[in-house]
Amino acid sequence: MTGYSSPCDETANRLPVKYAEVLLPLPLANTYTYCVPEEMASSVRKNFRVIVPFGKKRYYTAIVKEVHDHAPETPYALKELFALLDGTPVLSPLQMKFWEWMASYYLCTLGDVYKAAVPSELKLESETVVFYSPDVEAQKPLPEKEQTVLDAFGLEASLTVAALEKKTGLRNLIPVLNSLVNRGHVTVNEELRRRFVPKTETVVRLAPCYVREEDLIPVFGQLHRAKQQEKLFLAFLERIQPFRSPAPVEISKKELLRDAGVSASVLDALLKRGVLTAHEKELRPLSLPAETLQPLNELSAAQQTAFEEIRRVFAEKSVCLLHGVPSCGKTEIYLHLARETLQQGRQVLYLLPEIALTTQITERLARVLGNRLAVYHSGLSGHERVAVWNRLLQAGQPPLLVLGARSSLFLPFTNLGLVIVDEEQEPSYKQQSPAPRYHARNAAVMLASMYGANVLLGSATPSLDSFRNARTGKYGLVVLKTRYGAGLMPEIHLVDIKDLKRRKIMKDTLFSPLLKTKMDEALACGEQVILFQNRRGFAPVMECKSCGQALHCVQCDVSLTWHKQANRLVCHYCGYSIPLPSRCPSCSEGEMRLIGFGTEQVEEEMATLFPGTKTARLDLDTAHTRRACERILSDFEQGKTPVLIGTQMVSKGLDFDRVSVVGVLNADSLMNFPDFRAHERAFHLMMQVSGRAGRREQQGTVVIQTSQPAHPLLQTVRTFDYETMAQVQLNERQLFRYPPYIRMITLVLRSQSEQVLTHFSAMYAGALRKELSGIYGPFAPPVNRVQTLYVRHIMLKLERTLTVASVRATLDSVSRKMLSVPEHAHVRIHYDVDN
């Protein structure tokens, strides 16, 4: 059998000189020890990638955490490293330290962090391949299963294990294959496939023998009768002007052929003459020529004052909160700070909460930074992600500004100088699943501290955690209260839809008279409108008029949302869907009625009220790909779409000059959510979406529809009174012991058996109470069954003086003891820190 190296033990007739502790991309807490083969002894280093055998017939890409010469205390047969993938480290020196902190603080394994951090394209995929040996004859009849496997090959020389299982209908073929290997009928190895191959393009240069313009005179003599080649060569010289730069100047083959209007065969002929040379060059996204770059805009007086204050803060503190009203021009301040950091030779990380936001700002940054800008998030192709990773590892490269979502925290920075966290209050910065369930804002502060970098947190409505840190002096605070260009804050109207419905003024419509009037006026003037409803689909609940039964997901404890365009009822938790039934499935009679409304229904009513007005919808249904999202936003920015309807995606940091009216169609659904942060997040959302109305010199209008216009939270929104909202919420949280006054960890327990889970969670909470104080629960969350698994929560409220790491030993000890009971073996547990 090939693919495994020999075990490293006394029978190998040699003693290993070195051992490697490697980290695997699996949810494992520990590293594993492997022997370093003699031929690799001088090459294997810390932070290199290696291929290791692990388990039966499987290989993984591991990262070397340490190389040493200490044999394990407990003697056992060690496996050898299978292959070395790198000649240089794939991690920067501080990355592993950051991973270890993240695993410790967010109560997960180091393998979890590795799996999330490194792009999958940098990992090799292992696929077991079985080769048939037809020349080997059986000495006696084979067992039935073994003969079935051999017959499955047919005329094929090799098949994967998965293909053999499919063709034979047999499962667990490993013992059968082992027997066939021993008999010599098949051989098995691991076919390792490198999943990332850098994208390249062919570029063309003038041959190096031509160093002066007069050297080209004989060339034109040769090309006198080859008119197409002459045409191509002239186009090359006109575009490149090779003698104006001491460095070799090149142009892509594709561009050259397009400019010259000739075929590739003409270029091939020139290459054969030796006049031009061609080579492959790795593509880099967002590479712009220096001559197209634009200077930064000058800061206004208020922006310049804020810029200087931030610099003064950074002289004393490493973290500064910039609290600026919507449209105050925070982005310009970010860019000036970033330029200053890049000029100092240090790298910049610019974090955004949503991939959708990178579209608009990428073009803006590229015009200023050119190829010193890199973009990194999960919406990019594997090639683009790995290209950024490798650029950061290359020595001697000019420092980059990396624009990205939360995953960009894991990039291999070498000299990080500044981290900008825009819209720092956004819940999107919190990773929900899978592990590590980290908060990018908090992790960014820790990452920056490891590099000695500064952190700028920016927001029009800061999170209460950051606001309190600024108020207590832990962070610096800079406030920018004026809009750029002396723009006015929008006028906010609270409309009592409960009263309008009672008086039958809003019967069978989603739009109040005031909102409809304001929209009429805006559209008549060629201005734009944004309508905000934080639910997608047509209606979130479909209920029987006769029996009152709502249609629920069979796998989750939630109602199915009707998507009218697809004519299906869909679960937004697991994706389960069914066609729209003609009758109630419970009572087999009665019609179904809709309860609530989503963005689809808003779009339909817009078409009825404003026929001929083009609308676009921005939610997960319409913007499921990066290009779809870019197209919707681009059309709206260019004025092609007068009305944009959307969920919270429309509220986040987008800058549209023509928007004069914003409508919040149902504020109550934002406030009435069972979460201690509900009011804070409702304030954030309404303030953010309100900030889209009225830019520059024009005052915008915001209409907020609610059944409780006197609600204190809505009154603070109407007057843009963040300070009052923050103080009220902080007082309540201090009274009832919630963050930021305590540290909160939620234990999430899941099982397919509700009875087992109920018993397990009660025992688990009881065991924790014997070890720790501040244990609450177990209790069922609002959605207590997801994807066939029942869910229970146990809440830990810890004093700030108690670190998460100090609690981990207790949690792990109780978990091991509880899961050792056989009937509890299938219960799943994970921890959510700072949720």
Side-chain angles (χ1 to χ4, degrees), residues 696-742:
R696 310 294 183 258
E697 71 284 345
Q698 180 184 6
Q699 184 179 29
T701 300
V702 180
V703 178
I704 298 178
Q705 300 182 165
T706 174
S707 60
Q708 38 189 341
H711 195 291
L713 182 71
L714 291 175
Q715 292 301 317
T716 60
V717 171
R718 185 179 62 82
T719 57
F720 301 94
D721 191 354
Y722 172 83
E723 298 257 349
T724 298
M725 182 281 300
Q727 196 56 57
V728 169
Q729 293 299 309
L730 286 172
N731 290 343
E732 289 184 2
R733 293 190 192 181
Q734 186 173 27
L735 179 63
F736 296 105
R737 298 189 72 244
Y738 278 100
Y741 295 96
I742 55 97

Coordinates of all heavy atoms in Angstrom, one line a residue, residues 696-742:
R696 N -25.8 66.2 1.4 CA -25.3 67.5 1.1 C -26.2 68.7 1.6 O -26.5 68.7 2.7 CB -25.0 67.6 -0.5 CG -24.2 66.4 -1.0 CD -22.8 66.4 -0.5 NE -22.1 65.3 -1.1 CZ -21.8 64.1 -0.5 NH1 -22.3 63.9 0.7 NH2 -21.1 63.2 -1.1
E697 N -26.6 69.5 0.6 CA -27.4 70.7 1.1 C -28.9 70.5 1.2 O -29.5 71.4 1.7 CB -27.1 71.9 0.1 CG -27.8 71.7 -1.3 CD -27.2 70.7 -2.2 OE1 -26.0 70.3 -1.9 OE2 -27.8 70.3 -3.2
Q698 N -29.4 69.4 0.8 CA -30.8 69.2 0.9 C -31.3 68.4 2.1 O -30.7 67.4 2.5 CB -31.3 68.4 -0.4 CG -32.8 68.1 -0.4 CD -33.2 67.3 -1.6 OE1 -32.3 66.8 -2.3 NE2 -34.4 67.1 -1.9
Q699 N -32.3 68.9 2.8 CA -32.9 68.2 3.9 C -33.8 67.1 3.5 O -34.7 67.3 2.6 CB -33.6 69.2 4.9 CG -34.1 68.5 6.1 CD -34.8 69.4 7.1 OE1 -35.4 70.4 6.7 NE2 -34.8 69.1 8.4
G700 N -33.7 65.9 4.0 CA -34.5 64.8 3.6 C -35.7 64.7 4.6 O -35.8 65.4 5.6
T701 N -36.5 63.7 4.2 CA -37.7 63.4 5.0 C -37.7 61.9 5.4 O -37.5 61.1 4.5 CB -39.0 63.8 4.3 OG1 -39.0 65.2 4.0 CG2 -40.2 63.5 5.1
V702 N -38.0 61.6 6.6 CA -38.2 60.2 7.1 C -39.5 60.0 7.7 O -39.9 60.8 8.6 CB -37.1 59.8 8.1 CG1 -37.2 58.4 8.5 CG2 -35.7 60.1 7.5
V703 N -40.3 59.0 7.2 CA -41.6 58.7 7.8 C -41.5 57.4 8.5 O -41.2 56.4 7.8 CB -42.7 58.7 6.7 CG1 -44.0 58.3 7.3 CG2 -42.7 60.1 6.0
I704 N -41.7 57.3 9.8 CA -41.6 56.1 10.5 C -43.1 55.7 10.9 O -43.7 56.5 11.7 CB -40.7 56.2 11.8 CG1 -39.3 56.6 11.4 CG2 -40.8 55.0 12.6 CD1 -38.4 56.8 12.6
Q705 N -43.5 54.6 10.5 CA -44.9 54.1 10.8 C -44.8 53.2 12.0 O -44.1 52.2 12.0 CB -45.5 53.4 9.6 CG -45.6 54.3 8.3 CD -46.2 53.6 7.1 OE1 -46.6 54.3 6.2 NE2 -46.3 52.3 7.2
T706 N -45.7 53.5 13.0 CA -45.7 52.7 14.2 C -47.1 52.7 14.9 O -47.8 53.7 14.6 CB -44.6 53.3 15.2 OG1 -44.7 52.6 16.5 CG2 -44.8 54.8 15.4
S707 N -47.3 51.8 15.7 CA -48.6 51.8 16.5 C -48.4 52.4 17.9 O -49.3 52.5 18.6 CB -49.1 50.4 16.6 OG -48.2 49.5 17.3
Q708 N -47.2 52.8 18.2 CA -46.9 53.4 19.5 C -45.9 54.6 19.3 O -44.8 54.6 19.7 CB -46.3 52.3 20.4 CG -45.3 51.4 19.8 CD -44.9 50.2 20.6 OE1 -45.0 50.3 21.9 NE2 -44.4 49.2 20.0
P709 N -46.4 55.7 18.7 CA -45.6 56.9 18.5 C -45.0 57.5 19.7 O -44.0 58.3 19.6 CB -46.5 57.8 17.7 CG -47.9 57.4 18.0 CD -47.8 55.9 18.3
A710 N -45.7 57.3 20.9 CA -45.2 58.0 22.1 C -44.1 57.2 22.8 O -43.6 57.6 23.8 CB -46.4 58.2 23.0
H711 N -43.7 56.0 22.2 CA -42.7 55.2 22.8 C -41.4 56.0 23.0 O -41.0 56.7 22.1 CB -42.4 54.0 21.9 CG -41.7 52.9 22.6 ND1 -40.3 53.0 23.0 CD2 -42.0 51.7 23.0 CE1 -39.9 51.9 23.6 NE2 -41.0 51.1 23.6
P712 N -40.8 55.9 24.2 CA -39.6 56.8 24.5 C -38.5 56.5 23.5 O -37.8 57.5 23.1 CB -39.2 56.3 25.9 CG -40.5 55.8 26.5 CD -41.3 55.2 25.4
L713 N -38.3 55.3 23.0 CA -37.3 55.0 22.1 C -37.5 55.8 20.8 O -36.6 56.4 20.2 CB -37.1 53.5 21.8 CG -36.0 53.1 20.8 CD1 -34.7 53.3 21.5 CD2 -36.2 51.7 20.3
L714 N -38.7 55.8 20.3 CA -39.0 56.5 19.0 C -38.9 58.0 19.2 O -38.5 58.7 18.2 CB -40.4 56.1 18.6 CG -40.6 54.7 18.1 CD1 -42.1 54.4 17.8 CD2 -39.7 54.4 16.9
Q715 N -39.1 58.5 20.4 CA -38.9 59.9 20.6 C -37.4 60.3 20.5 O -37.1 61.4 20.0 CB -39.5 60.3 22.0 CG -41.0 60.2 22.1 CD -41.7 61.1 21.0 OE1 -41.3 62.3 20.8 NE2 -42.7 60.6 20.4
T716 N -36.5 59.4 21.0 CA -35.1 59.7 20.9 C -34.7 59.6 19.4 O -33.8 60.3 19.0 CB -34.3 58.7 21.8 OG1 -34.5 57.3 21.3 CG2 -34.6 58.8 23.2
V717 N -35.3 58.7 18.7 CA -35.0 58.6 17.2 C -35.4 59.9 16.5 O -34.7 60.4 15.7 CB -35.7 57.4 16.6 CG1 -35.6 57.4 15.1 CG2 -35.1 56.1 17.2
R718 N -36.6 60.4 16.9 CA -37.1 61.6 16.2 C -36.2 62.8 16.4 O -36.1 63.6 15.5 CB -38.5 61.9 16.7 CG -39.3 63.0 16.0 CD -40.7 63.2 16.6 NE -40.6 63.6 18.0 CZ -40.4 64.8 18.5 NH1 -40.2 65.8 17.6 NH2 -40.4 65.1 19.8
T719 N -35.6 62.9 17.6 CA -34.8 64.0 17.9 C -33.3 63.7 17.8 O -32.4 64.5 18.2 CB -35.0 64.5 19.4 OG1 -34.8 63.4 20.3 CG2 -36.5 65.0 19.5
F720 N -32.9 62.5 17.2 CA -31.5 62.1 17.1 C -30.8 62.1 18.4 O -29.6 62.5 18.4 CB -30.8 63.0 16.0 CG -31.5 63.0 14.7 CD1 -32.4 63.9 14.3 CD2 -31.2 62.0 13.8 CE1 -33.0 63.9 13.1 CE2 -31.8 62.0 12.5 CZ -32.7 62.9 12.2
D721 N -31.5 61.7 19.5 CA -30.9 61.9 20.8 C -30.2 60.5 21.2 O -30.8 59.8 22.0 CB -32.0 62.3 21.8 CG -31.4 62.7 23.1 OD1 -30.2 62.6 23.3 OD2 -32.2 63.2 24.0
Y722 N -29.0 60.3 20.7 CA -28.3 59.1 21.1 C -28.0 59.0 22.5 O -28.1 58.0 23.2 CB -27.1 58.9 20.2 CG -26.2 57.8 20.6 CD1 -26.4 56.5 20.2 CD2 -25.1 58.0 21.5 CE1 -25.6 55.4 20.6 CE2 -24.3 57.0 21.9 CZ -24.6 55.7 21.5 OH -23.8 54.6 21.9
E723 N -27.6 60.1 23.1 CA -27.1 60.1 24.5 C -28.2 59.7 25.4 O -27.9 58.9 26.4 CB -26.6 61.5 24.8 CG -25.4 62.0 24.0 CD -24.1 61.9 24.8 OE1 -24.1 61.7 26.0 OE2 -23.1 62.1 24.1
T724 N -29.4 60.2 25.2 CA -30.5 59.8 26.1 C -30.8 58.3 26.0 O -31.0 57.6 27.0 CB -31.8 60.6 25.8 OG1 -31.5 62.0 26.1 CG2 -32.9 60.2 26.7
M725 N -30.9 57.8 24.7 CA -31.1 56.4 24.5 C -30.1 55.6 25.2 O -30.4 54.6 25.9 CB -31.1 56.1 23.0 CG -31.4 54.6 22.6 SD -30.1 53.4 22.8 CE -28.8 54.1 21.7
A726 N -28.8 55.9 25.0 CA -27.7 55.2 25.6 C -27.8 55.1 27.1 O -27.6 54.1 27.7 CB -26.4 55.8 25.1
Q727 N -28.1 56.3 27.7 CA -28.1 56.3 29.2 C -29.3 55.5 29.8 O -29.1 54.8 30.8 CB -28.2 57.8 29.7 CG -27.9 58.0 31.1 CD -26.5 57.5 31.5 OE1 -25.5 57.9 30.9 NE2 -26.5 56.5 32.4
V728 N -30.4 55.6 29.1 CA -31.6 54.8 29.6 C -31.3 53.3 29.5 O -31.5 52.5 30.4 CB -32.8 55.1 28.7 CG1 -33.9 54.1 29.0 CG2 -33.3 56.5 29.1
Q729 N -30.7 52.9 28.3 CA -30.4 51.4 28.2 C -29.3 51.0 29.1 O -29.3 49.9 29.7 CB -29.9 51.2 26.7 CG -31.1 51.4 25.7 CD -32.2 50.4 25.9 OE1 -32.0 49.2 26.1 NE2 -33.4 50.9 26.0
L730 N -28.3 51.8 29.3 CA -27.2 51.5 30.3 C -27.7 51.3 31.7 O -27.3 50.4 32.4 CB -26.0 52.5 30.2 CG -25.2 52.4 28.9 CD1 -24.2 53.6 28.9 CD2 -24.4 51.1 28.9
N731 N -28.6 52.2 32.1 CA -29.2 52.1 33.4 C -29.9 50.8 33.6 O -29.8 50.1 34.7 CB -30.1 53.3 33.7 CG -29.3 54.6 33.8 OD1 -28.1 54.6 34.0 ND2 -30.0 55.7 33.7
E732 N -30.7 50.4 32.6 CA -31.4 49.2 32.7 C -30.5 48.0 32.8 O -30.7 47.0 33.5 CB -32.4 49.0 31.5 CG -33.6 50.0 31.5 CD -34.5 49.7 30.4 OE1 -34.3 48.8 29.6 OE2 -35.5 50.5 30.3
R733 N -29.5 48.0 32.0 CA -28.5 46.8 31.9 C -27.8 46.7 33.2 O -27.5 45.6 33.7 CB -27.6 47.0 30.7 CG -28.3 46.8 29.4 CD -27.4 46.7 28.3 NE -28.1 46.9 27.0 CZ -27.5 46.8 25.8 NH1 -26.2 46.6 25.8 NH2 -28.2 47.0 24.7
Q734 N -27.4 47.9 33.8 CA -26.7 47.8 35.1 C -27.6 47.2 36.2 O -27.2 46.4 37.0 CB -26.2 49.2 35.5 CG -25.4 49.2 36.8 CD -24.8 50.5 37.0 OE1 -25.3 51.6 36.6 NE2 -23.6 50.6 37.7
L735 N -28.9 47.6 36.1 CA -29.9 47.2 37.1 C -30.1 45.7 37.0 O -30.2 45.0 38.0 CB -31.2 47.9 36.9 CG -32.4 47.6 37.9 CD1 -32.0 47.9 39.3 CD2 -33.6 48.3 37.5
F736 N -30.2 45.2 35.8 CA -30.6 43.7 35.6 C -29.3 42.9 35.2 O -29.5 41.7 34.9 CB -31.6 43.6 34.5 CG -32.9 44.2 34.9 CD1 -33.3 45.4 34.3 CD2 -33.8 43.6 35.8 CE1 -34.5 46.0 34.7 CE2 -35.0 44.2 36.1 CZ -35.4 45.4 35.6
R737 N -28.2 43.4 35.4 CA -26.9 42.7 35.2 C -26.8 42.1 33.8 O -26.9 40.9 33.5 CB -26.7 41.6 36.2 CG -26.6 42.1 37.6 CD -26.2 41.0 38.6 NE -24.8 40.6 38.5 CZ -24.4 39.4 38.1 NH1 -25.3 38.5 37.8 NH2 -23.1 39.1 38.0
Y738 N -26.6 43.0 32.8 CA -26.4 42.6 31.4 C -25.1 43.4 30.9 O -24.7 44.4 31.5 CB -27.6 43.0 30.6 CG -28.7 42.0 30.6 CD1 -29.8 42.2 31.4 CD2 -28.6 40.8 29.8 CE1 -30.8 41.2 31.4 CE2 -29.6 39.8 29.9 CZ -30.7 40.1 30.7 OH -31.7 39.1 30.7
P739 N -24.5 42.9 29.8 CA -23.4 43.6 29.3 C -23.8 45.0 28.9 O -24.9 45.3 28.6 CB -23.1 42.8 28.0 CG -23.6 41.4 28.3 CD -24.8 41.6 29.1
P740 N -22.8 46.0 29.1 CA -21.4 45.8 29.3 C -21.0 45.7 30.7 O -19.7 45.8 31.0 CB -20.8 47.1 28.6 CG -21.9 48.1 28.8 CD -23.2 47.4 28.7
Y741 N -21.9 45.6 31.7 CA -21.5 45.6 33.1 C -21.0 44.2 33.5 O -20.4 44.1 34.6 CB -22.6 46.1 33.9 CG -23.0 47.5 33.7 CD1 -24.0 47.9 32.8 CD2 -22.2 48.5 34.2 CE1 -24.3 49.2 32.5 CE2 -22.5 49.9 33.9 CZ -23.5 50.2 33.1 OH -23.8 51.5 32.8
I742 N -21.4 43.2 32.8 CA -20.9 41.8 33.1 C -20.5 41.2 31.8 O -20.8 41.7 30.7 CB -22.0 41.0 33.8 CG1 -23.3 40.9 33.0 CG2 -22.3 41.5 35.2 CD1 -23.5 39.7 32.2

